[in-house]
Amino acid sequence: MNIWEVILAFLIVVLILVSLLSNVLVLICFLYSTDIRKQVPGLFILNLTFCNLLMTVLNMPLTLAGIIYKHPLGGEQLCNIVGFLETFLTTNSMLSMAALSIDRWIAVVFPLNYHSKMRYKDAALILSYTWLHSVSFPIVATSLSWVGFHHLYASCTLYNKRLEDRTQFMIFTGIFHSLSFLLSLIVLCFTYLKVLKVARFHCKRIDVITMQTLVLLVDIHPRN
């Protein structure tokens, strides 16, 4: 191992520890807080936490081993399983974050209609879609043998070994990244920009009310 690989391995170990600690704390808060469990966003947070924990436990240690040993541990069969889970979990995490941003957008922009627009039934339907969306792409990739150990990433992920499938694989990865990560990014940008717009509007109202209050206090202050 060269110095850069040592640094990278150290960073992955730090990320594993931080991810484990933070996600376990979130899970503990969810289990011990009745208020969080009663709220609809708790379903998205729980789903996101489980995906992050599984990624931390299953994928990241094997990525660390791939950096050290330059090949996957456990053989091709285990690599295919890990690659399937890696694709599924990363997609599910991104879509869960997008769903959580939609929930916050509705709560901030439409506060009076939030409970009618976002119910547990609606959250369950959204989570069902995220699972269906997330599992469809790795199923296709696994069935077409497009999962394997990628030396550049030192992990088991989407990977095409056959030159004759290069065009189809590029189309597949383009559709996968567009409908999963790019779509999530667009949703996140749209929803939080709307939330920021509402927050700025309320800040301006608060500034106006504050200035009016100060002027009123000055006017009613007794003059000597």
Side-chain angles (χ1 to χ4, degrees):
M1 293 178 65
N2 56 44
I3 183 63
W4 296 111
E5 290 176 340
V6 173
I7 294 175
L8 182 59
F10 174 76
L11 290 176
I12 290 178
V13 172
V14 173
L15 286 175
I16 291 174
L17 296 176
V18 172
S19 179
L20 279 176
L21 178 61
S22 58
N23 285 286
V24 168
L25 287 176
V26 171
L27 189 59
I28 292 174
C29 291
F30 182 86
L31 293 176
Y32 284 91
S33 176
T34 307
D35 293 334
I36 295 178
R37 291 198 303 270
K38 289 181 179 179
Q39 298 176 5
V40 174
L43 294 177
F44 302 132
I45 294 173
L46 184 63
N47 187 65
L48 178 62
T49 302
F50 272 119
C51 289
N52 291 338
L53 280 174
L54 289 175
M55 277 290 295
T56 304
V57 174
L58 297 176
N59 184 263
M60 296 180 72
L62 292 177
T63 301
L64 179 62
I67 295 174
I68 298 173
Y69 299 107
K70 303 296 190 301
H71 63 82
L73 298 182
E76 184 177 356
Q77 189 67 30
L78 179 61
C79 185
N80 290 335
I81 296 174
V82 172
F84 179 94
L85 290 174
E86 186 263 350
T87 306
F88 167 74
L89 293 172
T90 52
T91 307
N92 204 333
S93 295
M94 288 301 300
L95 293 177
S96 297
M97 292 177 62
L100 191 59
S101 70
I102 292 174
D103 176 86
R104 294 298 85 198
W105 169 59
I106 296 174
V108 173
V109 180
F110 309 102
L112 299 179
N113 300 325
Y114 172 73
H115 292 290
S116 61
K117 290 179 177 293
M118 186 60 70
R119 299 164 298 177
Y120 274 101
K121 179 182 177 180
D122 302 316
L125 289 175
I126 294 174
L127 283 182
S128 299
Y129 169 76
T130 63
W131 276 69
L132 181 63
H133 182 119
S134 302
V135 79
S136 59
F137 285 99
I139 286 177
V140 173
T142 304
S143 63
L144 295 175
S145 300
W146 287 346
V147 177
F149 183 77
H150 202 301
H151 290 276
L152 178 62
Y153 305 123
S155 63
C156 297
T157 183
L158 295 179
Y159 182 58
N160 178 36
K161 300 177 182 178
R162 299 190 299 268
L163 294 178
E164 61 270 18
D165 293 343
R166 178 180 297 178
T167 303
Q168 295 91 325
F169 180 73
M170 290 179 64
I171 294 173
F172 172 79
T173 53
I175 295 174
F176 167 63
H177 286 89
S178 298
L179 294 180
S180 300
F181 303 106
L182 181 60
L183 177 63
S184 299
L185 177 62
I186 292 173
V187 171
L188 286 167
C189 292
F190 172 81
T191 52
Y192 284 120
L193 282 175
K194 291 295 184 179
V195 170
L196 179 62
K197 183 179 179 179
V198 173
R200 285 181 172 178
F201 173 75
H202 287 296
C203 285
K204 290 179 180 179
R205 289 187 60 189
I206 293 173
D207 290 340
V208 171
I209 294 173
T210 302
M211 290 302 299
Q212 291 175 347
T213 304
L214 290 175
V215 171
L216 180 62
L217 289 175
V218 170
D219 291 339
I220 65 176
H221 192 275
R223 294 180 175 87
N224 295 327

